[in-house]
């Protein structure tokens, strides 16, 4: 062998050795990062440390092809997503080598960006945490890559072996009539009844309530009791410890959030829809009727219930209670402005309170928190309206879920899919749940760590462990185009809230407007065999005389108030 070939051969050996060392150092870099994060941040997990490290090693290996890429995802701004953006994105980048930018934007902006990407085909974000309320939109337009298809198809080698889909408590919410899972749940919170447990247990107040109303002060089982309690604290008690108190809290400003107040199941709480879980069939809580998978109308004249007697009753109560029993300034507030008010200590109860506020409601030093850190308040199932029947949903549950568009380049989508799975993996999900209090996994809910946290969370853990939780569900598949239809609600509800129109007139306008949008979708024929095909209009009496929704007006919309002791309620769940 001459010197030329000898030199070349030695160089090849050296390069090969260097590459081996380099690969080894890279492996060490990522495994060292995984150990650092597991030992310093992800100390609360339902997995053992060894199982966590195995899960992280899978992410490191699966990410090799995408290493060095910069991926952009978006979600709304809540505590859970702040944790993902600030902590989990950094951890994922260090463990995989994929750089993640997790943008936090307003909920309306998430929908707008998603809608723009759907319409233009231009890739704006590589992944979205998008409410499962859009499930009806996603499965009809065909612009989203169903999670089911990805797992079986191009994402097969990039799907976490320990993902454990059956462990997700919200999977039915992201499954369409075609049986496919379209979105992967990332966080969940419900709207529940909230009340001052300390006030409800005061002997003097209990005695006064019993003398006035003839039954016990407790968690209201129906709207009649809720109304009695609202009147009691606002008009009879008036002040507690020198502070003016109110028996109700809500908001009424003309703002997009006023629409959520209603689309987030206000009508279902009253009982306007049909039986069925996760959503009423054939008529859902928006009042939209479907036949098969086709929406056929929301007006009573087409078989819908958006402007039916139960919806009018619910809207009337919303307006009356806001004016009579809430602080005067509530009428000019938005959702985000009204949210912190109960924590200030002068609200006795709220029929419709999002558990996403739990973390903010348990901060030390608040008027509603005891010195030992336990809350003076509790959350419980919302009371039922007079039209409600067993077998119906009873409230709303927000399920922010990972959603991937067909317009996203495949490599970018699959890299984002890895990050999405990382944010819900068993290595990190329990810690994320303890921080944001928006549980998604059964295994986290039943964990020892959640049991330990329960006394300071005011009933959150008890609710999610209870059989009652299945009655709280997101908007379902009857809604064919969530972005277009949701924006109608706040404009028409505002007419009733500000007294411009009667509840009936406002809802007549809303139902007609929804039908108009669905008629346009029908003419455009862009949603295939599950797109709208509206029923002809007939005399509303024809539908009101049939069983189910739309339901005829009840002769008595205020039956006797009923309450239950909170402690007895919790015991019944445990049994």
């Amino acid at each position: 062998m001459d010197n030329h070939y000898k030199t070349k051969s030695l160089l090849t050996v050296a390069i090969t050795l260097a590459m081996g060392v380099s690969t080894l150092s890279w492996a060490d870099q990522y495994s060292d990062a995984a150990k650092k994060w597991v030992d310093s941040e992800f100390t609360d997990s339902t997995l053992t440390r060894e199982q966590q490290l195995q899960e992280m090693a899978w992410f490191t290996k699966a990410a090799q092809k995408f290493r060095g890429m910069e991926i952009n995802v978006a979600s709304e701004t809540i505590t859970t997503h702040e944790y993902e953006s600030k902590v989990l994105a950094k951890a994922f980048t260090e463990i995989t080598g994929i750089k993640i930018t997790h943008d936090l934007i307003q909920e309306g902006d998430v929908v707008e960006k998603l809608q723009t990407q759907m319409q233009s085909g231009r890739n704006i974000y590589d992944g979205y945490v998008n409410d499962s309320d859009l499930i009806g939109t996603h499965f009809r337009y065909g612009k989203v890559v169903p999670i089911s298809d990805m797992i079986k198809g191009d994402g097969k080698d990039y799907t976490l072996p320990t993902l454990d889909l059956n462990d997700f408590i919200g999977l039915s919410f992201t499954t369409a009539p075609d049986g496919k899972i379209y979105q992967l749940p990332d966080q969940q919170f419900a709207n529940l009844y909230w009340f001052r447990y300390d006030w409800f247990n005061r002997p003097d107040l209990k005695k006064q309530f019993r003398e006035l109303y003839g039954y016990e002060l407790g968690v209201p089982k129906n709207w009649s009791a809720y109304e009695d309690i609202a009147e009691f604290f606002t008009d009879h008690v008036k002040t507690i410890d020198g502070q003016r108190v109110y028996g109700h809290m809500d908001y009424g400003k003309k703002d997009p959030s006023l629409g959520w107040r209603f689309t987030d199941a206000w009508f279902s709480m009253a009982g306007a829809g049909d039986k069925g879980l996760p959503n009423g069939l054939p008529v859902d809580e928006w009042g939209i009727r479907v036949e098969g998978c086709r929406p056929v109308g929301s007006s009573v004249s087409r078989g819908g219930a958006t402007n039916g007697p139960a919806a009018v009753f619910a809207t009337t109560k919303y307006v009356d209670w806001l004016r009579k029993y809430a602080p005067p300034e509530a009428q000019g507030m938005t959702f985000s402005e009204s949210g912190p008010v109960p924590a200030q200590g002068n609200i006795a109860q709220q029929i419709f309170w999002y558990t996403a506020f739990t973390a903010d409601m348990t901060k030390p030093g608040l008027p509603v928190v005891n010195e030992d850190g336990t809350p003076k308040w509790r959350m419980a199932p919302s009371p039922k309206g007079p039209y409600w029947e067993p077998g119906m949903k009873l409230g709303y549950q927000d399920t922010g879920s990972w959603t991937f568009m067909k317009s996203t380049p495949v490599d970018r989508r699959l890299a984002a899919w890895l990050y999405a799975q990382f944010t819900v993996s068993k290595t990190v999900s329990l810690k994320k749940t303890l921080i944001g209090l928006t549980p998604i996994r059964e295994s986290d809910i039943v964990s020892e760590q959640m049991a330990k946290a329960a006394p300071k969370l005011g009933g959150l853990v008890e609710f999610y462990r209870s059989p009652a939780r299945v009655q709280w569900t997101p908007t379902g598949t009857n809604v064919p185009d969530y972005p277009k239809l949701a924006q109608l609600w706040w404009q028409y509800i505002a007419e009733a809230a500000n007294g411009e129109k009667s509840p009936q007139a406002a809802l007549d306008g809303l139902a007609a407007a929804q039908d108009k949008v669905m008629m346009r979708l029908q003419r455009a024929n862009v949603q295939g065999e599950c797109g709208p095909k509206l029923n002809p209009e007939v005399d509303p009496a024809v539908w009101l005389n049939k069983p189910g929704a739309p339901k005829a007006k009840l002769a008595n919309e205020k039956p006797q108030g009923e309450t239950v002791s909170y402690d007895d309620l919790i015991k019944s769940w445990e049994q």
Side-chain angles (χ1 to χ4, degrees):
M1 184 183 290
D2 62 28
N3 285 337
H4 172 73
Y5 285 106
K6 192 173 179 183
T7 304
K8 192 174 179 184
S9 179
L10 288 168
L11 189 63
T12 303
V13 170
I15 290 169
T16 304
L17 284 168
M19 283 178 68
V21 171
S22 175
T23 305
L24 195 63
S25 66
W26 274 112
D28 286 346
Q29 173 191 336
Y30 297 122
S31 60
D32 286 349
K35 286 174 188 170
K36 179 193 82 172
W37 282 99
V38 165
D39 291 338
S40 64
E41 181 65 27
F42 308 135
T43 49
D44 285 307
S45 172
T46 56
L47 301 183
T48 65
R49 180 178 182 272
E50 188 57 39
Q51 289 171 326
Q52 286 180 288
L53 291 174
Q54 287 172 4
E55 204 169 61
M56 294 300 99
W58 179 88
F59 278 106
T60 300
K61 188 176 180 185
Q64 283 178 332
K65 176 184 173 184
F66 312 109
R67 202 164 284 160
M69 286 180 72
E70 296 187 9
I71 299 300
N72 304 304
V73 301
S75 69
E76 64 174 301
T77 307
I78 62 171
T79 304
T80 297
H81 299 319
E82 286 173 354
Y83 180 70
E84 290 168 344
S85 176
K86 292 172 185 172
V87 179
L88 296 188
K90 187 170 187 284
F92 181 78
T93 296
E94 291 182 10
I95 291 166
T96 65
I98 301 171
K99 186 176 187 306
I100 294 288
T101 299
H102 185 146
D103 286 345
L104 300 175
I105 56 182
Q106 293 300 311
E107 183 182 2
D109 293 333
V110 175
V111 175
E112 186 188 332
K113 301 282 188 196
L114 193 74
Q115 199 175 16
T116 301
Q117 184 158 341
M118 284 170 66
Q119 291 168 350
S120 68
R122 179 170 59 89
N123 190 51
I124 300 172
Y125 283 103
D126 305 310
Y128 296 84
V129 182
N130 162 235
D131 279 3
S132 72
D133 296 341
L134 276 84
I135 181 70
T137 311
H138 292 329
F139 105 88
R140 287 185 175 91
Y141 277 113
K143 303 284 188 179
V144 160
V145 180
I147 301 296
S148 302
D149 289 356
M150 191 153 51
I151 288 172
K152 290 176 187 168
D154 56 18
K156 188 176 181 181
D157 295 335
Y158 306 102
T159 297
L160 181 63
T162 51
L163 184 60
D164 191 5
L165 286 176
N166 291 331
D167 194 35
F168 286 81
I169 62 172
L171 216 60
S172 66
F173 310 152
T174 61
T175 303
D178 60 7
K180 291 181 181 180
I181 301 164
Y182 277 74
Q183 302 164 275
L184 184 70
D186 177 83
Q187 52 85 3
Q188 288 180 220
F189 57 89
N191 66 21
L192 297 176
Y193 173 72
W194 178 97
F195 72 106
R196 285 293 297 269
Y197 179 76
D198 57 340
W199 292 355
F200 278 47
N201 279 317
R202 275 180 48 164
D204 58 331
L205 296 178
K206 288 172 76 75
K207 179 173 180 286
Q208 188 181 359
F209 186 86
R210 195 185 313 111
E211 287 171 354
L212 282 166
Y213 298 96
Y215 59 100
E216 294 298 321
L217 177 60
V219 174
K221 293 174 71 173
N222 58 14
W223 282 25
S224 302
Y226 182 86
E227 185 170 76
D228 288 346
I229 296 167
E231 179 188 71
F232 174 66
F233 279 99
T234 307
D235 295 343
H236 296 285
V237 177
K238 293 184 181 175
T239 60
I240 292 178
D241 300 327
Q243 183 181 29
R244 177 71 170 104
V245 299
Y246 295 91
H248 175 64
M249 184 59 205
D250 214 323
Y251 59 96
K253 187 175 182 179
K254 187 174 183 179
D255 174 84
S257 65
L258 188 58
W260 311 337
R261 178 69 178 75
F262 278 73
T263 57
D264 289 0
W266 184 238
F267 289 172
S268 76
M269 293 164 70
D274 272 314
K275 295 177 184 179
L277 292 171
N279 303 88
L281 280 173
V283 180
D284 72 352
E285 69 273 14
W286 284 43
I288 296 174
R289 173 179 287 271
V290 293
E291 289 174 7
C293 62
R294 281 193 181 278
V296 295
S298 61
S299 298
V300 174
S301 57
R302 300 183 194 272
T306 307
N307 59 335
V312 171
F313 164 80
T315 307
T316 302
K317 288 299 169 191
Y318 157 74
V319 172
D320 289 351
W321 293 346
L322 179 63
R323 288 178 187 160
K324 290 180 181 177
Y325 308 127
E329 59 271 20
Q331 292 187 46
M333 286 183 169
T334 64
F335 166 76
S336 55
E337 290 165 345
S338 69
V341 172
Q344 294 165 12
N346 68 332
I347 305 297
Q349 60 170 0
Q350 188 165 348
I351 192 171
F352 187 106
W353 178 82
Y354 288 95
T355 61
F357 291 124
T358 305
D360 292 331
M361 194 73 85
T362 53
K363 289 177 179 172
L366 285 175
V368 294
V369 177
N370 293 309
E371 285 185 14
D372 64 358
T374 57
K376 296 178 182 179
W377 53 269
R378 297 289 186 274
M379 61 183 86
S382 306
K384 307 166 178 72
Y387 292 88
W388 192 88
E389 301 168 78
M392 291 180 64
K393 71 180 281 183
L394 186 48
Y396 175 79
Q397 187 154 197
D398 185 294
T399 306
S401 306
W402 283 103
T403 309
F404 301 95
M405 310 300 290
K406 288 181 178 175
S407 53
T408 299
V410 175
D411 277 4
R412 299 190 68 83
R413 169 167 54 79
L414 293 175
W417 169 234
L418 287 176
Y419 174 63
Q421 293 175 91
F422 181 82
T423 65
V424 301
S425 65
K426 289 183 179 180
T427 292
V428 309
S429 67
L430 179 55
K431 178 64 183 283
K432 186 176 87 169
T433 297
L434 289 166
I435 285 173
L437 303 176
T438 55
I440 51 169
R441 287 186 176 275
E442 181 77 30
S443 57
D444 292 336
I445 292 165
V446 300
S447 68
E448 288 179 19
Q449 292 94 326
M450 286 297 280
K452 190 178 175 184
K456 293 190 176 181
L457 300 180
L460 180 76
V461 175
E462 290 83 352
F463 171 76
Y464 272 105
R465 287 182 171 185
S466 82
R469 79 168 187 224
V470 300
Q471 292 177 303
W472 276 257
T473 70
T475 296
T477 56
N478 288 26
V479 181
D481 191 318
Y482 185 95
K484 285 190 178 76
L485 292 169
Q487 65 185 359
L488 300 173
W489 283 68
W490 64 278
Q491 299 170 55
Y492 286 93
I493 295 301
E495 294 178 344
N498 63 25
E500 188 182 325
K501 288 187 178 174
S502 69
Q504 181 71 67
L507 295 182
D508 286 345
L510 173 61
Q514 287 206 127
D515 285 348
K516 195 173 178 182
V517 169
M518 290 194 283
M519 191 75 82
R520 284 206 303 270
L521 290 173
Q522 179 179 331
R523 283 199 298 265
N525 195 26
V526 288
Q527 295 191 329
E529 62 184 18
C530 288
K533 188 176 181 182
L534 266 62
N535 283 334
E537 289 196 89
V538 298
D539 184 337
V542 172
W543 285 102
L544 292 171
N545 287 327
K546 291 182 178 182
K551 298 169 183 176
K553 184 175 171 66
L554 291 170
N556 177 19
E557 292 181 323
K558 192 178 181 186
Q560 172 63 36
E562 289 183 64
T563 57
V564 61
S565 153
Y566 177 78
D567 297 327
D568 289 345
L569 179 69
I570 298 298
K571 282 177 192 163
S572 72
W573 285 347
E574 290 168 353
Q575 290 164 5

